[in-house]
Structure formats: structure tokens, C-alpha cells
Amino acid sequence: MSRLSLTEYAGRLYARPGVEPLLLELQDEAGQDVLLLLMACWLGTRGVRAEAPLWQSLRDRQAPWRERVIEPLRQVRRALTGDADAAALRAQVKDCELAAEWHQLEQLEAMCLALTPAADAALSGVRAHLALSGEGSNDARLEQLAVAATVMEQDKAAPR
């Protein structure tokens, strides 16, 4: 069971081989919210029961921030891509975009700290949360993400 904060967990999972491109594909090709996907993995590995009302409140909290802050910053950053004269500005916008995402992860985590583990098995728990975070999407890449999250937890628990 993950004892990491959501931001620590997200940073570690995102850095695992293959996870970053997988998350970006799910974002760009399937319209998934990367922060909610990371949240789903974190909740699943913590053993928190996946429930539709929880996910509705998380989506309700995330949607305005994503639409008003994160997506506009992403659009500006992408518009500056390839403009050598604007490279420094692009880097500043990227830093702002990342700061906005980390801030939102902290807000989402605060909503869930009081949730108690239900002792769900990690993989099935992650799968259940991913299904709810994506509002029923059955994209095969979600299974890849569930496995990556579960393997990360197993690696952390393995004796050294």
C-alpha cells in the first residue's frame, strides 16, 4: 500500500519507463486527464475503494482548473514549440503549467486524505479507479497503466 503523498507518487510513476508516453497518449488521443489517471493509480495502490460519487467529486473539482488554467497554459506552450526565439518563454510557460498541475494534485490529495483503505488488491483497485476516472473508458492503455502502477508498488515492497 502506497504511503507516498500523491505528488511523490505521481512523480515516481510518471518517471517509470514507458509511463510518460502512455499518459500523454491517453491525454492527447483519448481525452483522458493525466492528473485523474495518476490519482486513480494512487488511490488504487492505497487500497481505497473505488466509488462513483468520489470520482464525480474529483472530476467536478478538477474540470474547472483543467479548463481555465492547465489547458490554456498547455496551448500557449505548444504554440511556442519550434520557435527558437521564444525558447526561454516556452520554458517559463512549461514551468507554470507544471506548477499548476502539482498544485492541483495537492488539492485533489487533500480531498482524499481521510478516505480509509478497503484492503482491495492493488491491481484490481487501480483498475477500478481507472475505470471510474475515465468514466467507463475501456482503452487498453489503461490496463498498461494499471500494471505499471502495480509493478511500481511491488518493486518498492521487494526486499533489497
Side-chain angles (χ1 to χ4, degrees):
M1 178 168 26
S2 181
R3 294 282 179 218
L4 300 172
S5 71
L6 176 55
T7 55
E8 292 169 326
Y9 178 88
R12 289 184 185 183
L13 180 59
Y14 199 86
R16 290 190 65 84
V19 172
E20 177 183 359
L22 178 61
L23 286 168
L24 295 177
E25 282 178 21
L26 285 163
Q27 172 186 277
D28 295 339
E29 297 172 12
Q32 295 285 330
D33 185 311
V34 169
L35 299 185
L36 292 180
L37 294 172
L38 292 167
M39 182 88 187
C41 293
W42 181 71
L43 288 171
T45 59
R46 289 176 65 88
V48 172
R49 187 175 314 282
E51 297 176 341
L54 168 64
W55 277 98
Q56 187 59 53
S57 67
L58 291 170
R59 282 192 300 275
D60 289 348
R61 175 66 184 253
Q62 171 60 356
W65 187 257
R66 182 186 64 245
E67 292 164 7
R68 289 188 230 144
V69 178
I70 295 171
E71 288 176 353
L73 288 167
R74 184 177 300 136
Q75 290 170 357
V76 170
R77 176 182 52 81
R78 288 180 174 175
L80 295 171
T81 299
D83 183 345
D85 294 333
L89 177 58
R90 182 186 182 281
Q92 290 175 332
V93 172
K94 182 178 181 178
D95 289 344
C96 289
E97 180 186 356
L98 291 172
E101 290 175 333
W102 289 116
H103 170 79
Q104 187 63 356
L105 283 174
E106 290 169 355
Q107 300 305 304
L108 294 170
E109 178 180 19
M111 292 177 63
C112 297
L113 285 178
L115 298 174
T116 56
D120 289 345
L123 183 57
S124 62
V126 171
R127 284 177 177 146
H129 280 284
L130 285 170
L132 288 172
S133 76
E135 299 183 88
S137 171
N138 64 1
D139 191 311
R141 293 171 291 199
L142 293 175
E143 177 64 16
Q144 291 176 290
L145 182 56
V147 170
T150 305
V151 167
M152 185 175 89
E153 285 300 301
Q154 292 168 346
D155 288 351
K156 191 175 75 181
R160 305 254 183 239

